[in-house]
Amino acid sequence: MYSNEEFLIELLTEAGYVTPQDLQQAKINKKGQETPLQTLVKTGVVSDEQLAKLVASNSGMEYVDLHGFPANPALKTLVPLEQAKKYKIVPIGVNGSALQIAVSDPYNFETLDALPHVLQPELEFFCSTPNLIQEVMVTIYGNDAMTGSSTGEGASTGGDGDAPIIKLVENMLMDAFRNRASDIHIEPMEKDIRVRFRMDGVMVDIEHHPKRLLASIIARIKIMTGTMSIDEKRVPQDGRIQMKFGDKELDMRVSIIPTQNGESVVMRVLDKSSLRLGLSDLGFFSDDQSCFENLISLPDGIVLVTGPTGSGKTTTLYACLNFINRPDRKIITVEDPVEYELPGINQVMVKEDVGMTFAAALRAMLRQAPNIIMLGEIRDAETAGIAIQASLTGHLVFSTLHTNDAPSAVARLADIGIKRFLIASAVRGILAQRLVRKLCAECKQPAGLSDKEMRQLGLEAGQLASATIMGPKGCNKCRNSGYRGRMVIAEIFQVDDEVRNMINQNLTTPQLRKRARELGMRTLREDGVRKVLAGVTTATEVIEATMSDAD
């Protein structure tokens, strides 16, 4: 009921409301989880009102008698019901620009510190009894005030009467969701707050707010996670927000770090629609899709997806699992962290602080007799070695590596300590990928290629005869950018008998790459050129995404 009951019992004793005998009897008579102070109130040794007045006097707050508080529906526009229930408060009036709030526990400093950030900066606090506050809550909000309490786990606040900071943050999240942003960046500058969205891989300046709002915005976001400390501003914090906008679920991973100008926030919007994507949705042309589907349908071996951070590797792995997930197969994944729950699949989250590393999880999962294993990433020799052994004993293993192209994955595995004969035996295929922006289907228009772009893409004039070169224009659908969504450009390196011999012969990466191209491997840039000629992306996008593939 109160934050510091021992201190309050001392106050009651000093004031003569409670004797040592009363306290001893309360300790004997208390039931279940009831505290001695609750027993003292319940048995009538001290009344709620006496206690509240004593608490108010000692804390410097004014006591307010809420008996017969008039029904004033306008007050519920000042404090959302969710916040009233969560913090056990009620709005009781307005004094100039200050919102007047009644609380039952003036010693709950975490709540008192949070409320100016959650509601509005200027508040006046009054003290009353818990029962009277509950009665007034029902008077103001109706029977909804009786249906449990808020969990504080990031549910949407909703409603036209939400406080300004609540509404500001909610509108920001809704705008990001509507515009299919992958990240929200709230960055404190010297004189203001800059809000940027990452849309289709590009940072876009959205709005600026006064610097004085920073603490309130950060506090609101921390409260929405339900796990972050409002008071802690010196160290990084991570959390998660899950909420609903209408019938849409919004799931975000939140990172907050201290900077010179204040705390900076990045919220990654986790798009659950990616769970349902097929390989064709990612942008594969039919021939590459067929080739890759054959690889991931093999009964055993390792299939790797490579590329830099942000190149869509995890989404591709999910699409692979969607393709091969059947009731007669057992699939287990090891991820850091588990971002999405995949139906019908056993998922394990890495927790290095308790010894659940990638390697430890992989060892344990092999005892679960899976058919298919997905590792979020091969990071070290131990993990790679176990994955290799699993693939050689009848398991199909999917994982990712950070390499620029597909043939480089062989050297990367060798560098971390895997013998080349094991690589040759285990690896079935390697997909390297990048993401490029797709032209907006609503507004793209015919375009040409400059001489420089022709040279960079390795094109001859005759190749354009049957091409459909298109360029960006801009419309409301794409926020006038000319692009909407992203797609994969891919390089598929199949490990057949000849390639296995090349790996065993210790050929260098350039030699492997040259021979793979002779055997028909299409490079990232070459796949990108096909998509430029098909009018689904632009030369600029492909050139920028494949700078390391300029040969």
Side-chain angles (χ1 to χ4, degrees):
M1 184 168 61
Y2 289 94
S3 300
N4 195 337
E5 292 202 356
E6 291 182 2
F7 173 68
L8 295 182
I9 289 173
E10 288 181 14
L11 288 180
L12 290 168
T13 304
E14 291 174 4
Y17 291 117
V18 173
T19 66
Q21 292 76 17
D22 291 329
L23 180 58
Q24 184 62 33
Q25 193 63 41
K27 290 179 179 178
I28 295 171
N29 293 338
K30 76 182 187 72
K31 298 178 180 179
Q33 299 299 314
E34 198 175 73
T35 66
L37 182 58
Q38 289 173 322
T39 304
L40 288 168
V41 174
K42 182 179 177 181
T43 57
V45 175
V46 62
S47 71
D48 268 332
E49 187 175 352
Q50 288 173 322
L51 179 56
K53 286 181 176 179
L54 185 64
V55 168
S57 174
N58 189 263
S59 66
M61 277 189 192
E62 181 180 342
Y63 174 78
V64 59
D65 185 355
L66 295 178
H67 281 104
F69 190 86
N72 184 356
L75 287 174
K76 67 181 179 182
T77 67
L78 302 176
V79 177
L81 172 59
E82 179 184 276
Q83 303 300 340
K85 289 172 19 176
K86 176 177 179 179
Y87 293 107
K88 299 179 177 61
I89 60 171
V90 287
I92 57 173
V94 175
N95 179 19
S97 60
L99 173 61
Q100 296 175 316
I101 298 291
V103 302
S104 62
D105 186 2
Y107 297 103
N108 188 337
F109 298 116
E110 185 173 351
T111 290
L112 298 185
D113 289 342
L115 288 174
H117 304 298
V118 174
L119 300 176
Q120 66 179 55
E122 198 168 345
L123 298 173
E124 287 181 6
F125 292 105
F126 296 82
C127 183
S128 194
T129 72
N131 288 336
L132 286 174
I133 285 177
Q134 181 62 42
E135 289 177 14
V136 173
M137 195 180 296
V138 175
T139 299
I140 294 175
Y141 299 97
N143 291 333
D144 287 345
M146 302 296 293
T147 57
S149 60
S150 169
T151 63
E153 292 182 358
S156 173
T157 56
D160 294 335
D162 288 354
I165 291 298
I166 295 175
K167 205 67 179 174
L168 184 153
V169 173
E170 181 176 297
N171 287 339
M172 185 190 304
L173 303 185
M174 289 178 67
D175 193 27
F177 190 73
R178 280 193 297 263
N179 286 286
R180 304 189 307 162
S182 60
D183 304 281
I184 304 167
H185 296 251
I186 303 172
E187 303 164 314
M189 302 290 104
E190 184 178 356
K191 296 181 179 179
D192 65 0
I193 306 165
R194 179 175 66 179
V195 178
R196 295 192 291 171
F197 295 167
R198 190 184 298 278
M199 295 188 292
D200 296 332
V202 177
M203 294 290 283
V204 179
D205 205 324
I206 299 298
E207 57 191 356
H208 290 249
H209 298 294
K211 187 69 176 286
R212 60 183 169 80
L213 298 181
L214 180 64
S216 299
I217 292 172
I218 300 296
R220 175 61 187 157
I221 291 169
K222 287 180 176 179
I223 288 168
M224 291 176 75
T225 68
T227 58
M228 291 185 175
S229 169
I230 297 173
D231 299 327
E232 182 57 74
K233 300 177 175 66
R234 301 163 299 173
V235 298
Q237 296 190 68
D238 295 300
R240 196 163 186 154
I241 294 174
Q242 294 175 297
M243 58 194 304
K244 277 192 173 183
F245 288 131
D247 60 347
K248 299 288 187 181
E249 290 188 4
L250 186 59
D251 193 0
M252 289 172 291
R253 205 167 66 207
V254 183
S255 170
I256 298 181
I257 63 169
T259 71
Q260 183 177 358
N261 293 315
E263 290 182 284
S264 175
V265 182
V266 175
M267 292 183 279
R268 182 180 179 194
V269 182
L270 304 175
D271 183 4
K272 293 189 175 182
S273 65
S274 65
L275 298 180
R276 300 183 294 274
L277 292 179
L279 293 173
S280 58
D281 300 314
L282 302 182
F284 287 99
F285 277 176
S286 58
D287 53 351
D288 281 343
Q289 181 177 334
S290 176
C291 174
F292 194 56
E293 286 177 354
N294 289 336
L295 283 176
I296 64 177
S297 299
L298 294 171
D300 56 27
I302 292 181
V303 177
L304 296 171
V305 180
T306 76
T309 300
S311 59
K313 298 187 297 295
T314 300
T315 301
T316 297
L317 288 182
Y318 284 152
C320 292
L321 295 182
N322 282 337
F323 179 77
I324 60 178
N325 188 14
R326 297 201 311 254
D328 63 337
R329 293 173 171 175
K330 177 158 185 172
I331 302 175
I332 304 182
T333 74
V334 184
E335 303 171 66
D336 183 18
V338 173
E339 292 185 351
Y340 305 106
E341 292 184 7
L342 301 168
I345 292 175
N346 302 276
Q347 294 173 269
V348 178
M349 185 163 70
V350 170
K351 294 181 180 179
E352 296 195 356
D353 56 332
V354 295
M356 182 63 85
T357 61
F358 271 105
L362 183 52
R363 281 197 199 90
M365 70 163 49
L366 289 175
R367 294 192 287 272
Q368 298 278 312
N371 303 103
I372 297 160
I373 296 167
M374 186 192 93
L375 289 174
E377 182 182 349
I378 290 179
R379 297 182 175 181
D380 52 46
E382 185 179 18
T383 305
I386 300 169
I388 291 282
Q389 291 302 321
S391 71
L392 294 174
T393 54
H395 303 86
L396 181 60
V397 180
F398 295 100
S399 192
T400 69
L401 278 177
H402 288 279
T403 63
N404 286 330
D405 62 8
S408 296
V410 173
R412 173 65 180 145
L413 290 173
D415 287 344
I416 61 178
I418 305 301
K419 302 294 185 183
R420 281 188 168 254
F421 76 89
L422 291 175
I423 299 172
S425 300
V427 177
R428 298 289 182 263
I430 303 161
L431 168 73
Q433 69 177 54
R434 300 290 189 277
L435 294 178
V436 295
R437 290 186 294 171
K438 292 192 292 186
L439 285 163
C440 175
E442 299 292 327
C443 66
K444 65 181 180 180
Q445 58 188 2
L449 297 176
S450 68
D451 291 342
K452 181 179 180 181
E453 288 172 334
M454 294 280 286
R455 287 195 303 272
Q456 289 177 305
L457 296 179
L459 289 172
E460 302 290 340
Q463 295 175 265
L464 303 185
S466 59
T468 309
I469 307 297
M470 305 294 283
K473 180 181 179 183
C475 66
N476 291 335
K477 289 281 188 181
C478 60
R479 272 186 92 101
N480 293 312
S481 69
Y483 297 91
R484 185 169 172 82
R486 290 191 288 177
M487 67 187 306
V488 163
I489 56 174
E491 173 178 290
I492 302 175
F493 182 35
Q494 298 184 75
V495 180
D496 58 15
D497 289 340
E498 184 166 352
V499 172
R500 288 189 188 92
N501 289 332
M502 293 160 57
I503 295 172
N504 282 324
Q505 292 168 15
N506 206 23
L507 266 65
T508 65
T509 296
Q511 290 172 318
L512 277 178
R513 183 174 179 79
K514 179 181 178 183
R515 184 58 183 145
R517 293 187 67 181
E518 291 172 354
L519 293 172
M521 185 187 79
R522 188 180 296 109
T523 69
L524 287 164
R525 178 158 291 189
E526 288 167 347
D527 187 46
V529 168
R530 291 201 302 165
K531 288 163 183 173
V532 171
L533 296 178
V536 292
T537 190
T538 63
T540 301
E541 285 293 303
V542 171
I543 291 167
E544 289 181 355
T546 59
M547 292 299 292
S548 62
D549 191 27
D551 60 335

